[in-house]
Amino acid sequence: MCGIVGLFAKSPEIEERLGVHLVAMLAQMSDRGPDSAGVAIYRDPVPEGMTKLTLYSPEIGEDWRAVASAIGGEVDSVRASHSVIVVPAEAAEAEGRVRAARSDLRIMSAGSVIEIYKDVGLPEVFAQEFELTDLHGSHALGHTRMATESRVTTEGSHPFSTGLDLCLVHNGSLSNHNTLRRMLRREGIEFQTENDTEVAAGYLEWRLREGATLEQALEGCLDDLDGFYTFAVGTAEGFAVLRDPIACKPAVLAETDDWVAMASEYHAIAVLPGADDARMWEPEPGIVYVWDRAAVA
Amino acid sequence: MTTVVEEEVVDLAVTPLRELNQRLHDVALSGEGLRRWRVVNPKGAHAVACGLDAELEVEIDGHVGYYCAGMNKLATVVVRGNASTGIAENMMSGKVIVEGSVSQSAGATAHGGLLVVHGDAAARCGISMKGVDIVVRGSVGHLSAFMAQTGNLVVCGDAGDALGDSIYEARLYVRGTVAGLGADCIEKEMRDEHVAHVRDLLAAAGIDDVDPTEFRRYGSARKLYNFTIDNAGAY
């Protein structure tokens, strides 16, 4: 088991209170995943030529200003063990500077809009420690984890970055992740954990690098991934959902004039304003669904 | 003069779910209490009105979560919304009516009673059904009636892939297209008695605008090893 939630704002009111709604949804999914939790939130784009990094340090009281100055950037915000640092450089350059200056830090996300926060512990506690209710944004994904394939660590929590402004959350388990990881390592994709979802994230990163569209990369999962999954993928513009063809893992989608929401179970959507009257449906197995600005405008 | 039928109203926004279910069970145990119940604000809660064992009428205003009306006996449960996984799973008797759509495994392993879904049912509708009648106004997903043992499944819309895989004696009637039949499931002749059968099932479900002659019948070819021991080696 694991819990997934996703929320896409269609009105300024929802954008303004995105964090509040996201935390309410996440709390409802606590019983599906009490081990750890995480969110990806899309907000405050940085100007072209700049990169927004979310960094994680296992050191309590990390000196983030020192980190920022070592990589030529500025601290945007600090939330618990994570910091968002904006660097006036392209992403590859910015990430390279982090690795050169502080190889002990983990890069949770990179891009122009994405921020990823994740940690072990109960989702409600996580949300409090990271002060997530403060956050506004255009859209967000969240995950509550009940670990099956690898250890309960911050690094093994979801979302996983799959490239610039991209991330993946997963409910399910993959059985061919060791074989796939070996293949992807030969293709130059790096892995930080023994986690199966990180392999799915690496797979998407590889397919996108090789020129696939997000839809094509996700459709490739149907052929190349063996296991159970409901995936939600966050992009700069919105999010995508895919369930494996057997479709044991649940997902429900709902839409009103103010939002589009996705969750493992309806009660996580029921906390949103106007949920009782939302249009609601279950995504069909093996079909890629995408919501973005263009689709809902 | 109008008759006012007395009913208990339980608001799940303030009443714990266990209290609701206990109160419903108490009517069966004591034989006392009102027969009509209305549940408001279910908000996707799991196991609403589970394990009922009395001739109650329970109306639920809103969407419910997993296993609503599971193990139902004698009672009539109406969901004015959608239901998640396992609606009326293991029902023994009575009636469960869903006005919206339902998620996977609707009516799973149910022994008796009637389940009516006015919207669509997702994957594995009627999986391992053991005597229940299921009528779906819309379509059903893949692997519906998987290992269905007995009972009837009526689908007014389409059926997904692998319908009736490894089916035993259950009867399947589908009006629309079938994406694919599962192992050992075949189409069978739709004789007059079967049209009458579908007519009765639709009537029981309160559906009067669907023509029973438009259905096709599917069932077991009885060729799997459990029917034909000579085929055991194939597995």
Side-chain angles (χ1 to χ4, degrees):
Chain A
M1 247 194 192
C2 283
I4 296 178
V5 299
L7 182 60
F8 183 99
K10 290 164 72 179
S11 74
E13 293 77 27
I14 299 291
E15 278 195 12
E16 196 53 45
R17 289 170 54 80
L18 198 77
V20 172
H21 296 309
L22 182 69
V23 168
M25 294 178 81
L26 211 56
Q28 289 291 321
M29 289 295 93
S30 223
D31 50 356
R32 290 188 68 92
D35 293 340
S36 47
V39 297
I41 191 150
Y42 292 82
R43 61 197 294 265
D44 299 343
V46 294
E48 206 164 316
M50 314 265 277
T51 299
K52 175 153 76 161
L53 300 173
T54 317
L55 303 178
Y56 157 67
S57 168
E59 285 298 316
I60 296 164
E62 176 65 66
D63 185 350
W64 290 111
R65 288 178 62 173
V67 172
S69 83
I71 61 173
E74 271 189 35
V75 174
D76 171 87
S77 54
V78 176
R79 291 176 191 275
S81 53
H82 292 44
S83 177
V84 171
I85 294 178
V86 177
V87 185
E90 295 299 336
E93 163 71 18
E95 291 183 68
R97 288 184 197 172
V98 174
R99 289 198 189 94
R102 289 289 304 272
S103 59
D104 58 317
L105 297 177
R106 286 282 161 88
I107 302 169
M108 293 308 201
S109 72
S112 61
V113 277
I114 193 173
E115 296 172 17
I116 288 181
Y117 304 101
K118 57 190 193 181
D119 207 348
V120 298
L122 275 176
E124 291 95 325
V125 176
F126 157 76
Q128 257 173 19
E129 283 177 353
F130 282 76
E131 297 172 339
L132 297 183
T133 50
D134 294 352
L135 293 167
H136 60 261
S138 56
H139 57 290
L141 288 180
H143 187 269
T144 62
R145 181 171 187 229
M146 190 177 285
T148 57
E149 299 292 305
S150 66
R151 290 167 59 217
V152 176
T153 59
T154 302
E155 292 88 339
S157 310
H158 305 213
F160 286 93
S161 172
T162 61
L164 297 182
D165 286 322
L166 287 170
C167 72
L168 173 71
V169 296
H170 173 205
N171 171 202
S173 58
L174 303 177
S175 34
N176 65 339
H177 62 96
N178 286 326
T179 312
L180 261 182
R181 191 184 293 107
R182 282 194 294 274
M183 184 279 276
L184 291 167
R185 276 192 169 132
R186 286 196 297 275
E187 296 290 335
I189 303 290
E190 289 173 29
F191 294 96
Q192 299 180 328
T193 72
E194 293 304 305
N195 183 281
D196 57 334
T197 307
E198 191 186 20
V199 173
Y203 173 83
L204 292 175
E205 188 182 340
W206 171 63
R207 291 294 305 263
L208 293 165
R209 191 189 76 191
E210 298 300 304
T213 63
L214 180 62
E215 284 90 335
Q216 287 167 341
L218 280 167
E219 278 160 8
C221 292
L222 297 170
D223 293 327
D224 294 332
L225 302 188
D226 184 7
F228 297 114
Y229 50 88
T230 289
F231 287 145
V233 173
T235 72
E237 293 292 310
F239 64 81
V241 174
L242 173 68
R243 299 173 77 204
D244 73 75
I246 302 291
C248 286
K249 297 300 175 187
V252 60
L253 285 148
E255 182 167 16
T256 69
D257 290 344
D258 294 321
W259 45 261
V260 179
M262 181 259 178
S264 299
E265 298 175 20
Y266 171 71
H267 61 97
I269 293 175
V271 296
L272 297 174
D276 287 342
D277 301 316
R279 191 171 71 86
M280 209 168 110
W281 71 102
E282 183 173 299
E284 298 261 341
I287 291 177
V288 176
Y289 293 78
V290 180
W291 282 267
D292 55 25
R293 301 249 151 257
V296 301
Chain B
M1 190 181 128
T2 54
T3 317
V4 178
V5 181
E6 269 194 286
E7 64 175 11
E8 290 265 6
V9 178
V10 179
D11 184 352
L12 281 182
V14 292
T15 306
L17 177 71
R18 280 175 188 227
E19 187 182 319
L20 165 70
N21 283 339
Q22 189 59 58
R23 286 174 66 192
L24 292 167
H25 295 172
D26 287 345
V27 180
L29 292 169
S30 67
E32 289 166 15
L34 291 178
R35 298 278 142 176
R36 284 176 64 97
W37 292 67
R38 199 151 67 87
V39 179
V40 298
N41 288 316
K43 304 249 180 238
H46 298 323
V48 177
C50 263
L52 304 190
D53 189 5
E55 287 180 5
L56 302 175
E57 285 176 38
V58 181
E59 213 179 285
I60 303 164
D61 284 344
H63 308 306
V64 291
Y66 290 6
Y67 312 126
C68 176
M71 301 173 283
N72 187 58
K73 218 167 163 184
L74 300 171
T76 297
V77 178
V78 178
V79 179
R80 303 213 184 282
N82 301 323
S84 187
T85 299
I87 177 85
E89 55 101 29
N90 217 66
M91 173 159 60
M92 302 304 286
S93 64
K95 213 186 225 188
V96 175
I97 299 160
V98 182
E99 293 191 347
S101 291
V102 300
S103 186
Q104 63 173 317
S105 305
T109 74
H111 290 246
L114 172 67
L115 168 63
V116 182
V117 177
H118 285 279
D120 297 320
R124 292 173 275 273
C125 177
I127 181 171
S128 197
M129 54 196 275
K130 295 178 169 73
V132 67
D133 291 331
I134 302 176
V135 180
V136 179
R137 175 93 203 204
S139 299
V140 297
H142 66 276
L143 275 170
S144 286
F146 175 60
M147 294 189 85
Q149 283 139 65
T150 180
N152 304 289
L153 172 64
V154 177
V155 182
C156 299
D158 303 327
D161 207 10
L163 176 71
D165 193 286
S166 309
I167 187 172
Y168 292 81
E169 299 300 320
R171 290 179 188 183
L172 316 179
Y173 301 101
V174 182
R175 188 166 67 143
T177 59
V178 173
L181 293 172
D184 209 32
C185 184
I186 55 167
E187 184 172 354
K188 296 188 168 187
E189 188 192 354
M190 189 80 182
R191 297 192 295 269
D192 291 348
E193 72 209 68
H194 303 117
V195 173
H197 191 206
V198 171
R199 183 176 290 116
D200 290 347
L201 289 161
L202 289 170
I207 294 173
D208 56 9
D209 58 347
V210 172
D211 182 353
T213 64
E214 291 173 359
F215 286 78
R216 290 161 172 252
R217 181 168 70 106
Y218 304 88
S220 177
R222 302 193 179 88
K223 297 286 188 219
L224 281 187
Y225 66 92
N226 48 340
F227 293 106
T228 308
I229 192 65
D230 293 348
N231 292 339
Y235 304 90

